[in-house]
Amino acid sequence: GRVTYDHADDFLGFATNGGTERMRITAAGNIGTANAFFLTNGGSATAGNAIYSPASNELGISTNGVEAIRIDSDGNVGIGEENPSQIVDIKGTDTTARLQVTNSDSSSLVLGYAGTTDAVLSNTAVGDFIFGTANTEAIRIDSDGNVILANVQEGDSGLASGTIYKDSGFLKIVA
């Protein structure tokens, strides 16, 4: 290998014996590889893939010259969002604004949007959807679409078992 200093462009280059540059360090302190990866103290995404500082105490990651992830000075993470306002802030367009968690069987839980206004919480597998609190199941939507309430207590409403009624804006079912 060889090490060269380019006085005209003010960088230190590291190359193979054949002359192929593998890494360069610029006078500004940027470190990069030929068309592959850059580590820079600059303020914007660079061509290719980079880790950089877009603002004071912030970290940005770009792919193909476009910022993909930003961590701000408060520790908020933006995915597709340059100014994250939450711990994790995901921004996409229409159906691309989704969070997907996939298990080893390729079943996924998806939280996002279907189009521009309809919110989605979906189980991509043929299985039940379970809601709970304090590690206890409270509601289940089974794979046939039936809604099952868990731990329904006897009510003192005086209504017959199985009666559905509205109370203070809630739909209630008498056990």
Side-chain angles (χ1 to χ4, degrees):
R2 48 185 188 135
V3 178
T4 58
Y5 176 70
D6 184 317
H7 182 70
D9 291 327
D10 205 16
F11 73 85
L12 184 64
F14 299 86
T16 64
N17 284 334
T20 303
E21 184 179 292
R22 295 295 183 200
M23 185 172 73
R24 94 174 25 180
I25 302 172
T26 69
N30 300 331
I31 301 172
T33 58
N35 299 319
F37 173 80
F38 297 92
L39 179 60
T40 157
N41 64 4
S44 63
T46 60
N49 305 317
I51 297 176
Y52 60 99
S53 178
S56 179
N57 298 314
E58 292 191 358
L59 179 68
I61 300 173
S62 67
T63 59
N64 200 23
V66 177
E67 182 172 297
I69 298 173
R70 181 176 294 202
I71 302 172
D72 72 11
S73 59
D74 294 326
N76 296 330
V77 177
I79 300 172
E81 173 56 61
E82 292 183 3
N83 299 300
S85 61
Q86 305 296 320
I87 293 172
V88 177
D89 198 340
I90 300 171
K91 182 177 182 181
T93 57
D94 295 342
T95 59
T96 65
R98 291 188 174 200
L99 174 64
Q100 181 168 311
V101 180
T102 304
N103 68 15
S104 61
D105 295 328
S106 298
S107 298
S108 299
L109 170 67
V110 178
L111 172 64
Y113 283 94
T116 57
T117 58
D118 295 335
V120 173
L121 179 59
S122 175
N123 178 1
T124 64
V126 177
D128 296 353
F129 209 110
I130 300 168
F131 298 87
T133 182
N135 292 321
T136 303
E137 182 177 331
I139 300 172
R140 176 183 296 255
I141 302 173
D142 69 17
S143 59
D144 294 326
N146 298 310
V147 177
I148 302 155
L149 303 177
N151 301 315
V152 176
Q153 302 297 315
E154 290 291 330
D156 58 2
S157 65
L159 300 173
S161 179
T163 301
I164 300 173
Y165 66 101
K166 181 180 173 188
D167 180 27
S168 302
F170 294 93
L171 184 64
K172 296 189 175 184
I173 302 172
V174 178

